Amino acid sequence: MQAADLGQEDIHTYLARHQKKELLRFLTCGSVDDGKSTLIGRLLHDTKMIYEDQLAAVKRDSEKVGTTGAGEIDLALLTDGLKAEREQGITIDVAYRYFSTDRRKFIIADTPGHEQYTRNMATGASTCQLAIILIDARHGVQTQTRRHSFIVSLLGIRHVVVAINKMDLVGHSQEVFERIRAEYTGFVAKLDVPDITFIPMSALKGDNVATRSDKTPWYHGPSLLDHLETVHIASDRNLADLRFPVQYVIRPNLDFRGFAGTLASGTVRTGDEVMVLPSGKRSRVKSIVTYDGDLDEAFAPQAVTLTLTDEVDVSRGDMLVRPDSPPHVSSQIEAMVVWMAEQPLVPGRTYTLKHTTRQVSAEVGAFRYGVDVNTLEHRAVARLGLNEVGLVQLSLTHPLACDPYRTNAATGAFILIDRLTNTTVGAGMIQEAGPTRQAEAVATAKTRDSLVAPAEREQRFGQKPVTVLLVGLTGSGKSRIAYALERKLWDEGRAVTVLYGQNMRHGLNRDLGFTADDRSENLRRSAEVAKLMNDAGVITVAAFVAPHAAVREKAKQVIGADRVLEVYCTAPMEVLRARDQSGAYKLADEGKIAQMPGVTAAFEEPKSPDLVLNTDQLDVDASVARIIDLLKAKGYVR
């Protein structure tokens, strides 16, 4: 809205109309130097939202610290306000800017691209409905691009604009644009991002930013501003499930008792039946009170005061819901946590968990896995450090009424607060809630010791129990060696058995897939079986891909480090592919198998195995002979 428009209508009319405009919150993210701050500066400049004194100051600063060359205005300086940002030409803190058009109001969060500021990026994205991910047309999809796309998906942002920037530096090439689009589409298929729009642009020159550019005649989509003004966000809000966290109780006199708060989701009408959680008491809505008078209906995100027809006990932190669509109520939750503190998140330490208007104490029950935010790979972890992300099981001192974050972001999000410093140290997105079987079993189960001593078993079998852990990529020959070793030891009169990863999936582990997390769980459960077999005096040969060093170390701890021999089976990749009769490598190349070690996921080679078998140079019999020599040298067999 410009001054000329203001002159044609009463100021109060203008303000009232402006107040009713729909608000869109969005963020810009991507790799360093992709032009995020420049893009925001261009939007503000082209929508005439920069005051003359601001523009004059930016012109002066452009001569001192600008990066666009002599005589050019560095519009990035509109958002990069910190001295360190201007000196380095990077964004460090999250910068918020506001602008509006005739159609919408906008709040922009300019987030950092550096990995060490992941927590800043997550903070800026937490309230946004749309993300603009910039990609430098010269460099294509980078590690930071993948990292920010993962966090955008993690935070449940449904709308993504992939702005392929600096098209002027590649001659506005359609071929470059299509190549980057195909590369990004292949990566983002692993994530949950339902709405993606690709726009070629030049933030520095203004091409396809506020208006369509004639320099890209092959592009028939909207300009960035057109898309921002028209993208449909109204249906993103959950209006089906009533969630009303009570912020405080209002009791001005004996005749009025109301419960104030902001509707996190859903709608509420007078006469609706509601249930109070966690108590489960029921009543009906008597009135919906606001400063401007009573309402017949309210919807998220309105702030209102509700009164009930019955005198039920409702306190701050309780939640009013509909009885037919309640949230989970549990003192055990699993959540993706973004850790934001120098001191790591570790088991055994108590934190304050703030969820809507409720605060409870929380401890780490277990780490399910950590996520490499650059590759999306899952890894076994024992803690989360600064800027790291992982799936964590939390045990709470009091039950929480919550929803999975994907279903309801308002009641699926929380923050963790350090109890000593009172600073926010983590942000969480609830994946599921409910009691864990493991916690219940540990609390109630009792162990019993065998009446047969280990020495008796050694004397009976003439051997010391051990687990020979054969690890290696698909096609390395570990399973053939495992069964040949079993045959050889059995023929010598040994008590021996094989645990093969694929066989375990047909029984005990039939509920597991082939993600990194499932591979880790497959080995963990199998290690428990190997321990039982060793306790019974049996030599166990275990053959698994086991791609992660941390998971292998945990398996050794379960079995007993003094009862494990690690044997690494390896061969060149061309040999492994030639041996593969299952077609797994081919399927992984085609994107039909996700997170396959050696192709689409990492394989961490053992650093100090007890034995290395180069199976392209050794046949099965020679490999078995070397393992038996190792068993004799270590004193497990005579």
Side-chain angles (χ1 to χ4, degrees):
M1 176 63 68
Q2 306 304 316
D5 300 316
L6 284 172
Q8 298 174 5
E9 63 179 314
D10 179 77
I11 185 63
H12 297 292
T13 304
Y14 163 69
L15 291 175
R17 184 161 59 85
H18 182 74
Q19 185 68 26
K20 294 178 180 178
K21 288 179 185 177
E22 188 176 38
L23 174 65
L24 173 67
R25 294 175 178 266
F26 69 92
L27 78 151
T28 58
C29 53
S31 301
V32 178
D33 294 330
D34 277 353
K36 300 179 294 296
S37 299
T38 301
L39 175 61
I40 294 176
R42 173 60 61 185
L43 277 172
L44 296 175
H45 180 273
D46 289 1
T47 55
K48 298 181 172 57
M49 296 300 296
I50 307 175
Y51 292 110
E52 290 183 3
D53 58 336
Q54 287 179 309
L55 190 58
V58 169
K59 288 180 179 178
R60 289 195 303 270
D61 291 340
S62 296
E63 298 176 1
K64 300 177 183 178
V65 294
T67 60
T68 54
E72 295 283 346
I73 300 177
D74 189 353
L75 295 174
L77 299 180
L78 284 165
T79 55
D80 288 341
L82 298 178
K83 182 179 179 182
E85 293 177 323
R86 294 190 172 196
E87 288 175 346
Q88 300 179 56
I90 63 172
T91 299
I92 296 175
D93 200 4
V94 181
Y96 294 94
R97 291 295 181 268
Y98 167 87
F99 75 100
S100 69
T101 66
D102 286 340
R103 296 181 180 181
R104 268 185 179 153
K105 298 178 290 186
F106 302 93
I107 296 177
I108 321 170
D110 182 21
T111 62
H114 281 266
E115 184 171 4
Q116 68 237 53
Y117 304 119
T118 297
R119 56 180 173 174
N120 303 49
M121 187 266 172
T123 301
S126 61
T127 59
C128 291
Q129 300 145 301
L130 180 144
I132 300 175
I133 298 178
L134 277 89
I135 298 177
D136 190 324
R138 299 170 300 172
H139 304 141
V141 177
Q142 301 292 300
T143 298
Q144 292 95 324
T145 311
R146 297 184 178 93
R147 172 160 45 89
H148 286 163
S149 298
F150 166 68
I151 295 176
V152 163
S153 171
L154 182 67
L155 292 171
I157 297 177
R158 297 173 179 270
H159 309 284
V160 170
V161 173
V162 180
I164 301 176
N165 193 28
K166 303 186 181 181
M167 290 295 294
D168 54 310
L169 300 182
V170 295
H172 300 282
S173 169
Q174 182 179 5
E175 181 183 352
V176 171
F177 175 79
E178 296 295 346
R179 175 176 52 80
I180 295 174
R181 178 162 67 174
E183 182 181 4
Y184 185 86
T185 301
F187 164 76
V188 84
K190 306 173 188 175
L191 305 176
D192 184 15
V193 182
D195 177 26
I196 304 177
T197 300
F198 294 85
I199 301 177
M201 67 175 59
S202 169
L204 182 64
K205 304 297 183 181
D207 297 325
N208 291 328
V209 178
T211 57
R212 286 276 303 276
S213 172
D214 56 8
K215 296 177 181 177
T216 53
W218 44 266
Y219 172 68
H220 304 291
S223 68
L224 175 63
L225 185 59
D226 285 340
H227 182 71
L228 295 176
E229 288 183 320
T230 57
V231 62
H232 183 66
I233 60 173
S235 60
D236 294 349
R237 191 177 297 126
N238 186 333
L239 296 177
D241 301 316
L242 173 62
R243 303 289 186 263
F244 184 76
V246 177
Q247 187 171 356
Y248 53 87
V249 180
I250 299 176
R251 192 69 186 267
N253 54 59
L254 295 176
D255 299 323
F256 186 90
R257 185 164 176 261
F259 310 106
T262 300
L263 279 160
S265 66
T267 60
V268 62
R269 301 175 182 84
T270 54
D272 282 354
E273 184 181 20
V274 294
M275 180 169 62
V276 183
L277 293 178
S279 69
K281 300 292 184 181
R282 300 191 182 194
S283 184
R284 290 190 177 275
V285 177
K286 181 180 179 181
S287 62
I288 304 172
V289 182
T290 71
Y291 178 81
D292 296 318
D294 291 3
L295 302 175
D296 294 326
E297 179 183 18
F299 53 87
Q302 285 182 292
V304 296
T305 298
L306 302 182
T307 65
L308 304 180
T309 56
D310 304 290
E311 289 292 330
V312 295
D313 182 18
V314 182
S315 304
R316 174 182 169 84
D318 289 348
M319 185 180 292
L320 301 182
V321 303
R322 284 203 179 88
D324 58 351
S325 61
H328 299 284
V329 180
S330 177
S331 57
Q332 300 282 337
I333 60 174
E334 283 193 357
M336 294 296 296
V337 173
V338 180
W339 194 244
M340 302 178 175
E342 296 284 351
Q343 189 173 14
L345 173 66
V346 293
R349 188 172 182 186
T350 303
Y351 301 89
T352 297
L353 184 149
K354 187 177 187 303
H355 172 264
T356 61
T357 59
R358 188 173 181 81
Q359 291 190 14
V360 298
S361 296
E363 288 187 5
V364 174
F367 287 98
R368 297 305 186 201
Y369 55 79
V371 180
D372 185 330
V373 295
N374 300 325
T375 64
L376 307 186
E377 185 179 336
H378 295 177
R379 297 186 175 186
V381 295
R383 59 176 57 196
L384 287 183
L386 176 64
N387 293 321
E388 291 183 340
V389 180
L391 182 64
V392 182
Q393 175 198 320
L394 295 171
S395 299
L396 316 178
T397 53
H398 299 284
L400 212 62
C402 57
D403 297 286
Y405 187 84
R406 291 288 178 192
T407 304
N408 196 328
T411 54
F414 62 85
I415 59 172
L416 293 173
I417 301 170
D418 187 284
R419 302 178 73 183
L420 296 178
T421 63
N422 205 36
T423 56
T424 300
V425 292
M429 286 68 66
I430 295 171
Q431 305 299 298
E432 62 179 73
T436 59
R437 295 178 183 176
Q438 182 181 5
E440 293 173 357
V442 169
T444 60
K446 295 181 180 179
T447 60
R448 293 287 298 270
D449 293 330
S450 173
L451 298 179
V452 181
E456 293 180 84
R457 298 180 190 275
E458 290 181 18
Q459 185 176 6
R460 170 71 62 87
F461 295 133
Q463 63 188 33
K464 289 184 178 181
V466 64
T467 294
V468 180
L469 180 59
L470 296 160
V471 301
L473 290 169
T474 299
S476 61
K478 57 188 179 296
S479 61
R480 288 181 297 155
I481 294 170
Y483 284 105
L485 177 61
E486 179 191 38
R487 181 76 256 177
K488 181 69 173 176
L489 291 173
W490 179 263
D491 290 343
E492 293 179 357
R494 309 294 181 186
V496 60
T497 191
V498 171
L499 299 179
Y500 176 41
Q502 295 289 59
N503 287 0
M504 297 297 292
R505 294 177 182 279
H506 289 279
L508 177 65
N509 299 338
R510 62 180 176 272
D511 60 319
L512 300 177
F514 290 90
T515 65
D517 188 34
D518 286 343
R519 289 181 185 276
S520 299
E521 180 63 10
N522 188 31
L523 182 58
R524 186 196 69 78
R525 295 181 192 177
S526 301
E528 295 284 358
V529 176
K531 178 182 182 300
L532 293 175
M533 300 303 295
N534 284 171
D535 288 345
V538 178
I539 295 174
T540 304
V541 184
F544 292 83
V545 174
H548 305 304
V551 178
R552 295 195 296 266
E553 289 305 312
K554 282 193 173 183
K556 293 176 187 177
Q557 293 171 13
V558 169
I559 300 167
D562 60 336
R563 296 200 306 193
V564 178
L565 293 176
E566 186 176 36
V567 178
Y568 177 35
C569 302
T570 182
M573 180 55 72
E574 59 269 19
V575 175
L576 302 182
R577 287 178 174 272
R579 289 176 177 170
D580 178 30
Q581 297 179 355
S582 66
Y585 284 109
K586 184 171 184 282
L587 292 173
D589 291 336
E590 295 171 352
K592 296 178 181 178
I593 296 181
Q595 299 183 32
M596 181 174 174
V599 183
T600 54
F603 178 86
E604 299 172 356
E605 295 188 357
K607 293 183 179 179
S608 53
D610 296 283
L611 180 65
V612 176
L613 297 176
N614 294 297
T615 60
D616 59 317
Q617 302 171 21
L618 298 170
D619 62 17
V620 173
D621 291 340
S623 298
V624 168
R626 293 202 179 187
I627 296 174
I628 290 179
D629 288 343
L630 176 65
L631 288 170
K632 291 179 178 179
K634 296 288 186 180
Y636 291 107
V637 298
R638 293 188 292 272

